[in-house]
Amino acid sequence: MNTRSSAPTRTPSRRAAIGSAAAVLTAVAVLAAAPLAASAHVHVEPGQAAAGSYSTLTFKVPNESATAVTTSVTIDLPADTPFTSVSYQPVPGWSAKVVTGALPAPVVSGDVTLTKAPLSVVWTADAGGGIADGQFQEFPISAGAVPDVGSLLLPVHQGYSDGSVVDWTEPTPASGAEPEHPAPVLYVNDTPPADDESASTPVVTAAADAGAGAAADGGSSGSSASTSAALGFGIGGFALGAIALVVAVIGLLRRPAAAGASTASRTDLS
């Protein structure tokens, strides 16, 4: 009595199908990671303001280090088209100051010729505080009058507890390709990019009373949080659905192989 067993072979079509399933998983991982990476940049909300207005601008700063804490945040204000007035909203656990200095050249603003103006706002974390890994902090300022320009670049310098500094100063080129450390942009007369969600946030001006301003700020934060949550759930649902599809495909591919294995072994009598 001879027992012969032949191992099932994996056909080229089966190998191709499994390879396609793996490719789907890779694509899902890339698609899920891309929006999260983009949202980790420092940006300003709202991303658009009307010329002549006094607007509340909130800088959202995430910590991007797994080993260090963000301990300082410095916002550079424009010197060629300066704001005439800048103040900051207190942030618990942080001290802040507006740095005023001489302008490189006099600037005419209405009936006034400015020789000095606010040049930066500096936040410093209290001892033992700061923005830790996986956290972000919002830093609001009131700035005006917004100059009558196309857009304003508002560079941010993010200091870490290990002494390193990340400079969010790179302008986005006309091609739209995002640099590694893009500077926050406030659009005034220029049309913001279609994918800039922050630019659609309502603008708060000095004409509104304090109560309306607080409500508008709260609505902006709530809208941002809702958008982020919706994006996260959408990405998670897409990823889980794709993974379930791949698992189902692999399960179907394994069934014929198992059937082949059970019929491949047979006993011959001689």
Side-chain angles (χ1 to χ4, degrees), residues 11 37 51 57 65 67 96 102 133 138 150 160 162 171 220 225 228 250 254 260:
T11 65
L57 307 176
S65 173
T67 58
D133 182 30
E138 294 181 336
Y160 284 90
D162 60 3
S220 173
S228 299
I250 293 176
R254 289 173 62 87

Side-chain angles (χ1 to χ4, degrees), residues 41-42 64 156 158 166-171 178-184:
H41 293 338
V42 173
E64 294 193 323
V156 174
Q158 183 175 10
V166 176
D167 297 314
W168 301 90
T169 58
E170 300 177 76
E178 191 173 67
E180 184 177 0
H181 296 102

Side-chain angles (χ1 to χ4, degrees), residues 61 69-75 94-95 121-126 129-131 139 156-161 163-166 168:
V61 181
V69 174
T70 297
T71 54
S72 69
V73 173
T74 300
I75 300 170
W94 294 75
S95 59
V121 183
V122 181
W123 274 274
T124 305
D126 296 345
I131 311 171
F139 300 91
V156 174
H157 308 279
Q158 183 175 10
Y160 284 90
S161 56
S164 62
V165 177
V166 176
W168 301 90

Side-chain angles (χ1 to χ4, degrees), residues 9 21-22 46 53 69 80-81 84 86 99 106 113 119 122-123 127 132 144 156 168 202 218 220 241 253 256 266 270:
T9 58
S53 68
V69 174
D80 51 348
T81 54
T84 56
V86 173
V99 178
T113 298
L119 298 180
V122 181
W123 274 274
V156 174
W168 301 90
S220 173
L253 291 173
R266 65 181 183 273
S270 57

Side-chain angles (χ1 to χ4, degrees), residues 244-267:
L245 176 62
V246 172
V247 170
V249 170
I250 293 176
L252 289 175
L253 291 173
R254 289 173 62 87
R255 257 182 225 169
S262 64
T263 58
S265 178
R266 65 181 183 273
T267 302

